[in-house]
Amino acid sequence: MTLSDNPRAARSPRARRRATALLLGATLIATGGTVALATPAVAADCSTVPWMDTSKSADERADALLDASTQHQKYRWLVEQPANSPTQTTWSGGVVYPVQVDCTPTVIYSNGAEGAHNKAGTTAWPGPIAIAASWNLALNEQKGAIHADEAFDNRSNVILGPGVASGRTPLSGRTAEYFGEDPLLSGLMGAANVRGIEDGGSPDKPVIANLKHYVANEQELDRNNSSSNMDERTFRQVYDLPYEIAIKESDPDSLMCSYNQINGVWACENDILTTSLRDKMGFDGYVMSDFGSVHSTGPSLMAGLDQELNRPIWFTPVRLDAALAAGEVTQERIDEAAFQVVRSYIKAGLFDHPLPATSTPVTATDESRTLARELAEQSAVLLKNEDGILPLEDGPLTVAVVGPTASKTPTNGISTVQACSAGGFGARGVLNCDNVVDPLTSITERVEAAGGTVLYNNGADLASVAATAAQADVAIVFGYIRTGEFSDIPDIRLDSNGDALVEAVAAANDDTVVVLNSGTAVEMPWVDDVDAVFSNWFAGEQMGPALAGLLWGDVNPSGKLPMTFPKSVADTPTGTDPARYPGVFSNGSTTRPAGSTEVRQVSYSEGLQVGYKWYDEQGIEPLFEFGHGLSYTEFEYSKLKVKTKVKNGAVETRVTFFVENEGDRAGVEIPQVYLALPDAAAEPGKRLVGFERIELAAGEKQKVEVVIDSTDSNQPYSIWDVNADAWTIVDGTYVVSVGSSSRDLPLTEGTAVDIDGKKNK
């Protein structure tokens, strides 16, 4: 996949029809106070109001609506609940609004970076970090489309997701919710999901995606009371860039600012909402806050925040009137914020296609189950396969299956349900995993069909575990790490004495396969004692069938790591410096002084050295590198050619090479192209600039072309020039490397760039 092959998608037109009536109601969200609903005596004829005239543009319709609005009706758009519940007039704390103008829709927001959160009958997908491991943008887009339809049927037309971050530390509780550590992969995955949600669903079920959490929201610890402190170049190249890619490649209708401060200024009242998002990236949707991430009225609104999430606190009529009278906000900015929201709703189709009056029963379809299984198969990463122990043979084997996440029957509160999706919202996780097919069931079906036997042990007693493993021809042991919103994890060792569990199995059986259920990297002190390791992530409802197909070779593994797996946390960019993580207070301690509300200061002093760039620059050998993933076949790379041309200050490099499947079975390879910049750029390591996903039959050889274009949204040739306040290309020799991971790069060639065009080849 290269950006030149995937230009910014034109927004697909939605079917438009004039609504003769819109659902007028209220989103009844508990706020702790009373609510009042005002019902018009006579239903309006929506065919007569100009903002329902579908022959007009979204801009014209939004202008017409706001022209017909009073000041306090405009204010309603600046807060989620008043904007979205047009007939509700009062909120807790004595906040009062007039009824909204006629013919405005009920809009309901729902959490959903992973899928529809805990909604009966909806599809439980593999987590975003797992989907990133597939490196398959098309499947992620398809998933977004089905997610949108399921959300709409559940009476939600704004999905708070996808999420984009930069994978600064594997300890972050929300690592599973994001797409890894590389700006290009993360940005493209975010864009694919947005396109699926906003453009891929049913045309009469419009849904808005919400790209979040902007920006440098890299830890859950003190997420709402910490400051991410960094230099401007680091900000633009590491943390801003994934958003720039996602925005330019998908044109999302909304974006959420984060809880944290950036360099001492809260994200939701930071000028970057205008200077970076709108001025540099061209974002033209509306910016909403996270719940409770607003800290002011005037500064937040004037910085570029358009809508306060949930109920009115800082953007109440009283506070807005006072700020306007004091000159802290302008009427122009109030009108602009309201316009951004209304136009986005109209543009997306929310005015023309109202939500159903009641939720439509949702049942996962054959299409969604097939896609969930395909994503689970493609996202599983085969990290190790010593002596070709996998795939397993289809004979009458005795197979030991060990560990609580293998079975749907809970052991001390842990089962396959906890391996299905990320945690953070209760013990069961964020998705509806009631229909998850557990690995034990799928493995048992496979083994018994071949005349074999499965021995299951839940792993609670290590002595019995060893006895079970010793009786088997092969042992498959499951380990897990639970992660989720609201808290970081203390380390990346397996939960519930999982390392001892793996060691006990490996000591009792010479043919041991480890399956890891986690939303982040895993330390593996036992890795030399086992034969094979699969990173199976939080694999969704089709985890069992997908895993069985992989273990027995019905499906050839093709997943590649979207994040580095270090040997230990100490090897990570933040691992040995408490100022970098978890951050410190003015007394130098990592613990907040008693009774203090002081903001935790988190130093991003590692700068550009994030993810694999850190390991490259520091000369640290990871356990498994970014981009790593094995197959049951072998691929050979050859005949690299690099041709560069410069025209009008832009650089285009065409990289061609051949990939050959040298094995005896079909397989999928993901060739990756990296670019190392000249020394004068002072850039650490190398950067991913393109990739492809190719399927090759046994013995097949294919030519691959990847175009590196300096004008693409990932700025492949550029560094951020702080003095020029712009992306800048440095003259010199660039090194193109091609291979199967960030460290397995058999093909390398330099290419000279002189931006004046005198020395390019």
Side-chain angles (χ1 to χ4, degrees):
M1 177 67 213
T2 69
L3 290 173
S4 298
D5 296 330
N6 181 34
R8 181 178 177 182
R11 302 298 301 278
S12 59
R14 299 184 188 277
R16 300 287 189 183
R17 59 180 173 81
R18 178 171 297 180
T20 57
L22 282 178
L23 177 66
L24 295 176
T27 308
L28 297 177
I29 302 175
T31 62
T34 59
V35 299
L37 302 179
T39 304
V42 179
D45 180 0
C46 293
S47 66
T48 64
V49 297
W51 53 92
M52 293 305 296
D53 183 352
T54 58
S55 69
K56 298 180 182 293
S57 69
D59 286 38
E60 291 171 333
R61 293 171 66 181
D63 282 335
L65 186 149
L66 294 174
D67 286 345
S69 301
T70 66
Q71 180 79 340
H72 283 202
Q73 284 174 325
K74 292 178 182 179
Y75 286 170
R76 293 186 69 111
W77 299 107
L78 275 57
V79 185
E80 176 202 346
Q81 290 181 12
N84 299 343
S85 302
T87 60
Q88 182 175 332
T89 58
T90 65
W91 274 263
S92 61
V95 178
V96 179
Y97 294 86
V99 173
Q100 188 53 281
V101 297
D102 291 331
C103 306
T104 59
T106 292
V107 177
I108 299 178
Y109 293 2
S110 63
N111 256 330
E114 303 88 350
H117 275 205
N118 282 310
K119 295 293 185 180
T122 55
T123 308
W125 308 97
I129 192 68
I131 293 174
S134 74
W135 297 54
N136 192 325
L137 304 179
L139 289 190
N140 194 20
E141 190 166 338
Q142 291 174 38
K143 176 255 184 184
I146 295 175
H147 179 189
D149 281 355
E150 291 185 343
F152 191 92
D153 288 342
N154 272 291
R155 300 197 73 238
S156 172
N157 45 7
V158 176
I159 292 173
L160 304 183
V164 170
S166 297
R168 182 172 181 257
T169 171
L171 300 179
S172 172
R174 297 182 89 164
T175 299
E177 191 175 329
Y178 300 125
F179 296 112
E181 69 189 28
D182 179 77
L184 177 62
L185 181 60
S186 183
L188 289 180
M189 278 289 172
N193 197 242
V194 169
R195 291 195 303 268
I197 291 171
E198 294 194 345
D199 299 327
S202 301
D204 59 346
K205 298 179 180 180
V207 175
I208 287 175
N210 179 248
L211 193 65
K212 66 181 187 181
H213 307 87
Y214 185 76
V215 60
N217 179 221
E218 298 288 327
Q219 63 188 62
E220 286 299 279
L221 178 65
D222 274 339
R223 67 179 185 178
N224 58 354
N225 201 16
S226 63
S227 181
S228 302
N229 302 324
M230 69 197 77
D231 63 85
E232 185 180 345
R233 181 174 170 184
T234 296
F235 171 75
R236 288 289 291 139
Q237 289 189 208
V238 179
Y239 302 98
D240 225 26
L241 185 56
Y243 283 90
E244 181 167 346
I245 295 168
I247 288 168
K248 290 182 175 179
E249 300 302 319
S250 68
D251 191 19
D253 285 319
S254 73
L255 177 143
M256 180 184 290
C257 50
S258 56
Y259 283 109
N260 54 289
Q261 295 181 351
I262 299 97
N263 293 330
V265 180
W266 298 110
C268 292
E269 59 184 57
N270 200 303
D271 287 344
I272 58 174
L273 297 180
T274 297
T275 59
S276 187
L277 271 182
R278 297 201 185 277
D279 295 347
K280 291 184 172 67
M281 301 184 198
F283 175 69
D284 66 354
Y286 70 101
V287 178
M288 72 171 73
S289 73
D290 208 333
F291 180 38
S293 65
V294 184
H295 295 264
S296 64
T297 303
S300 296
L301 186 63
M302 295 307 295
L305 179 65
D306 299 312
Q307 189 181 85
E308 181 178 18
L309 192 66
N310 206 265
R311 66 182 178 87
I313 299 174
W314 288 99
F315 283 7
T316 64
V318 170
R319 280 181 156 165
L320 287 169
D321 282 342
L324 184 62
E328 297 169 355
V329 301
T330 65
Q331 185 64 47
E332 180 184 20
R333 177 66 192 114
I334 291 169
D335 291 345
E336 180 186 58
F339 176 82
Q340 298 286 9
V341 177
V342 175
R343 180 184 61 179
S344 295
Y345 285 9
I346 294 172
K347 177 183 172 186
L350 272 57
F351 271 63
D352 303 325
H353 300 281
L355 288 169
T358 59
S359 295
T360 303
V362 175
T363 302
T365 63
D366 289 343
E367 179 188 11
S368 67
R369 283 188 290 267
T370 297
L371 182 58
R373 177 167 177 173
E374 195 171 1
L375 282 167
E377 291 168 346
Q378 293 190 15
S379 64
V381 182
L382 182 60
L383 298 174
K384 178 179 180 179
N385 190 23
E386 193 170 281
D387 299 327
I389 185 175
L390 296 178
L392 298 174
E393 297 179 359
D394 254 331
L397 297 173
T398 299
V399 179
V401 177
V402 180
T405 57
S407 171
K408 206 170 178 180
T409 301
T411 300
N412 298 323
I414 299 295
S415 72
T416 301
V417 171
Q418 281 69 46
C420 171
S421 72
F425 286 87
R428 296 183 63 80
V430 296
L431 300 183
N432 170 42
C433 290
D434 290 346
N435 295 321
V436 64
V437 183
D438 64 2
L440 179 61
T441 296
S442 298
I443 291 170
T444 300
E445 290 174 354
R446 184 61 178 255
V447 172
E448 290 183 348
T453 303
V454 170
L455 308 173
Y456 176 62
N457 189 303
N458 63 23
D461 178 70
L462 293 184
S464 70
V465 162
T468 300
Q471 299 175 58
D473 298 311
V474 61
I476 305 171
V477 56
F478 289 72
Y480 71 94
I481 300 176
R482 289 291 290 154
T483 61
E485 189 177 352
F486 306 119
S487 63
D488 292 339
I489 53 177
D491 54 51
I492 51 174
R493 302 290 288 269
L494 293 177
D495 287 350
S496 301
N497 208 25
D499 291 332
L501 178 65
V502 173
E503 289 165 355
V505 173
N509 193 306
D510 290 336
D511 294 321
T512 295
V513 178
V514 179
V515 177
L516 301 172
N517 298 124
S518 171
T520 188
V522 180
E523 281 187 36
M524 306 179 201
W526 35 260
V527 69
D528 293 335
D529 300 324
V530 302
D531 298 279
V533 182
F534 259 117
S535 177
N536 200 44
W537 313 103
F538 299 137
E541 67 178 47
Q542 294 297 311
M543 179 169 72
L547 184 60
L550 288 160
L551 290 170
W552 270 269
D554 302 337
V555 178
N556 199 339
S558 60
K560 302 279 189 177
L561 289 179
M563 63 183 300
T564 303
F565 276 36
K567 292 181 178 178
S568 71
V569 170
D571 287 344
T572 67
T574 61
T576 59
D577 186 350
R580 293 181 181 176
Y581 182 86
V584 297
F585 298 95
S586 57
N587 61 4
S589 172
T590 59
T591 302
R592 180 177 282 104
S596 171
T597 59
E598 182 182 348
V599 175
R600 183 185 295 272
Q601 302 298 314
V602 184
S603 171
Y604 283 45
S605 59
E606 72 279 1
L608 303 173
Q609 297 180 43
V610 174
Y612 58 89
K613 298 179 184 71
W614 165 265
Y615 298 89
D616 285 354
E617 193 69 13
Q618 297 294 321
I620 297 173
E621 187 72 24
L623 182 60
F624 296 108
E625 72 272 19
F626 174 87
H628 171 73
L630 302 177
S631 170
Y632 294 150
T633 188
E634 298 290 333
F635 299 101
E636 179 72 18
Y637 288 74
S638 64
K639 298 181 181 178
L640 173 65
K641 292 184 179 179
V642 178
K643 294 183 179 180
T644 297
K645 64 178 181 180
V646 175
K647 185 177 181 180
N648 297 326
V651 184
E652 180 185 273
T653 298
R654 292 191 173 271
V655 181
T656 60
F657 52 93
F658 285 85
V659 181
E660 182 177 4
N661 181 351
E662 295 189 320
D664 58 2
R665 64 170 64 215
V668 171
E669 174 64 326
I670 303 173
Q672 301 156 43
V673 178
Y674 294 84
L675 189 68
L677 275 59
D679 290 343
E683 186 77 8
K686 54 188 176 291
R687 56 177 66 169
L688 179 72
V689 291
F691 60 90
E692 290 288 343
R693 184 180 172 90
I694 58 173
E695 185 168 354
L696 298 173
E700 184 181 358
K701 188 175 185 178
Q702 182 174 324
K703 184 179 181 180
V704 180
E705 180 178 80
V706 172
V707 178
I708 312 171
D709 188 335
S710 67
T711 64
D712 281 337
S713 59
N714 64 320
Q715 309 292 340
Y717 270 101
S718 298
I719 62 171
W720 185 255
D721 187 327
V722 174
N723 294 325
D725 193 35
W727 292 104
T728 301
I729 298 172
V730 176
D731 290 345
T733 298
Y734 291 73
V735 178
V736 175
S737 299
V738 177
S740 63
S741 79
S742 62
R743 295 219 163 185
D744 184 4
L745 299 168
L747 306 181
T748 300
E749 184 173 326
T751 185
V753 171
D754 184 328
I755 204 63
D756 295 325
K758 298 176 182 178
K759 301 176 182 178
N760 303 297
K761 62 180 181 179

